[in-house]
Structures are given as structure tokens and as C-alpha cells.
Amino acid sequence: AQSVTQLGSHVSVSEGALVLLRCNYSSSVPPYLFWYVQYPNQGLQLLLKYTTGATLVKGINGFEAEFKKSETSFHLTKPSAHMSDAAEYFCAVISTGGGNKLTFGTGTQLKVEL
Amino acid sequence: NAGVTQTPKFQVLKTGQSMTLQCAQDMNHEYMSWYRQDPGMGLRLIHYSVGAGITDQGEVPNGYNVSRSTTEDFPLRLLSAAPSQTSVYFCASSYPRPTGWAEAFFGQGTRLTVV
């Protein structure tokens, strides 16, 4: 079965600092991985996705993630944090069985401080 | 550009009451799903559908029913509400691709409190 693990339920960075949110996956088949962002009292918005091809994936708002098969990781990064990046971030993997169902990590709350 | 629309946005129920959470999408997506979000647990799949007339259970289906009579609508029914069903519920839609996988599009959520 496919699963993802997000290390760190809360991450705090200073404005302008590097953002690194960790996600490791477990999958018996080639994984299809996603990062979603949730702003307060909102639904989930897709940041980026990895299906096949280039292992470095660029998303919206300056975020990117690198798929590393050897490390079973798909960490999310942004070179310089902005106050508007404060949100909850979810890593997810497509589950088997059709329907584009997702298995989510437990989420990481990102706080950006002045 | 409505996308995925969920109603209501907020609801308070008494234990034992029943209700239906509505979900509609206008993107002609074949796939629709319901998730619940609880603190520290991420989102968990309740039920999903791969097309009109076809539904299946997810990870946490107990206490919930679904049906899919049209492509557009995928209501979630709580048969007899329990405090453990206090949560934020999200509906999502997606579509098949010849290769790779398409992302899911989410509604704004329904915040349900059962007292």
C-alpha cells in the first residue's frame, strides 16, 4: 500500500529564510506524488506534482520539490520564505485501485516570522 | 469557474440526527471523493466514485453513505451523527488521463460539529 510520512508537524522559519518541508513515501509501484497547500479556512490547492520524467518539479509561488528514489523522498523547498507562505502543507500519493484517490501525510504547519 | 462546490459551509448537528453534505462539480470529472480532515491526521478517504452509479469505500466509511446518480453530484449522507464525526469534510473531483495521473480539485470544505 502507498503511504507518505511528513516529518515535523510544525515548522517555523524567518521571513527570507529557506523553507524545507520533508516528505518520505512508501510505495510498491512507481509513485505519483503531490504537494497541496491549505490556507486558513480554505480548501486544498495544488502546489506541484510528480508523475514521471524530470525529478525536479517546479510549482506555484516559487516552491519546488525533488523526487529522490534512492531516498524515497519528495521534500518541498522554497529559497526565501514570505509571510504569505504561512499555511498547512500536505504531501500525498496516489493510492492503487483507480479513481485518483489520494493518501495524505499528516500535514506540516508552516509559520513565517518577521 | 465554480469548480467543486460544497454546501453547507458550516453545520451543527445533535447526536443521532441525519444530514446530507452536498457536493457538485461543473468540470465533467468522472472521479469524485470525500475526505475528512482531523487535527494531526491529515485527510482520510471516506468514499469515492469512478463514475455515475459506481461507488466504493475508502479508509473510514463507517457511518457514511454515498450515491452517484449523475456525473455532477456526489452527496455524503450521515445516517446517525456521532460526536466522533465532528470534522471538516472535503469533496474532490478528478479525471482519468491516458498516461500519468491528474490532480484532485477540492471544494472549500464543510465544517461539521456534532454535539
Side-chain angles (χ1 to χ4, degrees):
Chain A
Q2 281 65 27
S3 66
V4 289
T5 301
Q6 291 183 245
L7 295 176
S9 58
H10 292 81
V11 170
S12 184
V13 301
S14 299
E15 192 174 35
L18 172 72
V19 175
L20 171 60
L21 305 183
R22 299 179 185 273
C23 174
N24 288 89
Y25 69 88
S26 174
S27 178
S28 56
V29 298
Y32 294 95
L33 295 158
F34 302 81
W35 276 99
Y36 281 87
V37 61
Q38 183 182 33
Y39 298 103
N41 300 313
Q42 303 262 333
L44 276 73
Q45 179 182 1
L46 181 70
L47 270 180
L48 49 81
K49 65 180 178 182
Y50 169 78
T51 54
T52 57
T55 56
L56 182 62
V57 181
K58 294 187 183 299
I60 62 171
N61 301 339
F63 284 93
E64 62 182 36
E66 187 171 8
F67 174 73
K68 291 187 176 181
K69 185 177 180 180
S70 61
E71 298 178 8
T72 61
S73 68
F74 191 56
H75 301 330
L76 182 70
T77 60
K78 182 174 180 177
S80 177
H82 191 271
M83 296 295 289
S84 61
D85 295 326
E88 189 156 22
Y89 293 79
F90 292 95
C91 182
V93 64
I94 287 281
S95 305
T96 55
N100 288 3
K101 307 183 300 296
L102 293 167
T103 297
F104 285 87
T106 52
T108 298
Q109 187 73 46
L110 177 65
K111 183 178 180 181
V112 183
E113 300 174 315
L114 286 172
Chain B
N1 287 350
V4 180
T5 302
Q6 291 184 236
T7 56
K9 288 186 169 49
F10 301 94
Q11 183 70 48
V12 178
L13 285 180
K14 294 182 179 179
T15 297
Q17 286 185 317
S18 62
M19 79 159 294
T20 299
L21 279 64
Q22 301 291 345
C23 175
Q25 53 94 5
D26 63 358
M27 298 174 282
N28 202 33
H29 286 173
E30 289 184 35
Y31 303 154
M32 296 186 75
S33 307
W34 277 102
Y35 297 85
R36 59 176 289 173
Q37 182 182 19
D38 301 293
M41 304 188 75
L43 283 79
R44 292 178 293 168
L45 182 67
I46 305 171
H47 286 285
Y48 68 101
S49 169
V50 297
I54 306 170
T55 64
D56 205 347
Q57 297 181 351
E59 180 185 354
V60 289
N62 292 342
Y64 308 95
N65 268 359
V66 292
S67 60
R68 182 109 179 263
S69 55
T70 67
T71 299
E72 295 78 19
D73 299 300
F74 191 43
L76 179 71
R77 297 181 186 85
L78 279 69
L79 309 173
S80 177
S84 60
Q85 294 178 303
T86 294
S87 187
V88 182
Y89 292 84
F90 287 99
C91 179
S93 73
S94 187
Y95 56 95
R97 291 185 62 179
T99 58
W101 299 88
E103 68 268 27
F105 296 80
F106 285 83
Q108 294 294 294
T110 295
R111 187 174 296 273
L112 175 69
T113 302
V114 182
V115 298

